[in-house]
Amino acid sequence: PPHSPLFLNRGNLGVFVLGPLGILALLTRPWIPFHGPAGAFCDVLAWVFFMGYLLFRVWATLYLGGRKNTALQTQGPYSMTRNPLYFGSLCFGVSTALFLHSLALLAGVLAVGVIYVQGVVPDEEKVLERVFGKKFRDYRDRTPVLLPAPVLFRSVSEVRVQTGPLFQEFKRLAG
């Protein structure tokens, strides 16, 4: 079946919802002052989420790169969450909101995350179920949709990396 309009426009969702909220965050007073212990804590937390972004987006790209529709990925970051790329993107959004000390942007990021989990992910999973059948259903039944469960971690001893998708991810990061 063809993808839903929400899935096809998932990139625009972030631009149209989070773009204006990001501009608002830059033009309004932060909800936590930048100076002082609360501001410092917010910044440390922002760096933690930013590192989560780097870890999950790059790590998942190493596992997925070039094999997206040819093999079901269930190892490495995919053993802990079915959507490590989306989780990494969520971490990036949260880190940005925390760096800007913007409650409005944080609420927007979380709202977009909910829209992804309830709208975009089910559409993707219909395709995965059609392509991989029972193997995907078993994976879906044991692996959380978004938030990683480290106790489920499994990995192979070696991962073959295709550099094209990895460089594409670094271009996104630079942007």
Side-chain angles (χ1 to χ4, degrees):
H3 287 296
S4 69
L6 181 59
F7 175 83
L8 295 173
N9 293 294
R10 66 192 184 281
N12 294 330
L13 179 66
V15 171
F16 289 120
V17 173
L18 299 178
L21 289 174
I23 292 169
L24 182 67
L26 292 171
L27 298 176
T28 58
R29 176 174 283 143
W31 63 288
I32 293 176
F34 284 105
H35 302 291
F41 177 75
C42 197
D43 291 343
V44 167
L45 201 54
W47 279 109
V48 168
F49 276 96
F50 186 76
M51 297 310 287
Y53 157 70
L54 287 177
L55 173 69
F56 275 89
R57 288 289 308 190
V58 172
W59 190 21
T61 300
L62 291 174
Y63 272 79
L64 186 62
R67 296 179 291 275
K68 186 172 186 172
N69 294 320
T70 60
L72 181 63
Q73 299 304 315
T74 62
Q75 300 292 311
Y78 290 91
S79 67
M80 298 185 294
T81 172
R82 296 193 311 266
N83 295 283
L85 292 167
Y86 289 158
F87 177 72
S89 294
L90 178 65
C91 286
F92 179 76
V94 169
S95 74
T96 302
L98 291 171
F99 277 128
L100 296 174
H101 298 204
S102 172
L103 191 56
L105 183 56
L106 181 60
V109 166
L110 296 177
V112 168
V114 168
I115 292 169
Y116 263 71
V117 167
Q118 292 184 347
V120 175
V121 169
D123 192 44
E124 287 183 339
E125 290 190 342
K126 287 177 191 171
V127 172
L128 291 170
E129 186 171 7
R130 192 179 75 239
V131 172
F132 298 108
K134 182 175 177 0
K135 186 174 180 181
F136 174 74
R137 287 189 300 276
D138 291 346
Y139 169 67
R140 180 190 61 207
D141 292 345
R142 72 174 179 268
T143 311
V145 66
L146 186 66
L147 299 178
V151 297
L152 297 175
F153 177 74
R154 294 181 318 282
S155 187
V156 293
S157 60
E158 190 175 292
V159 176
R160 175 177 244 166
V161 175
Q162 294 186 7
T163 57
L166 186 61
F167 287 129
Q168 189 68 16
E169 189 59 37
F170 285 128
K171 285 180 191 175
R172 281 190 201 108
L173 174 62

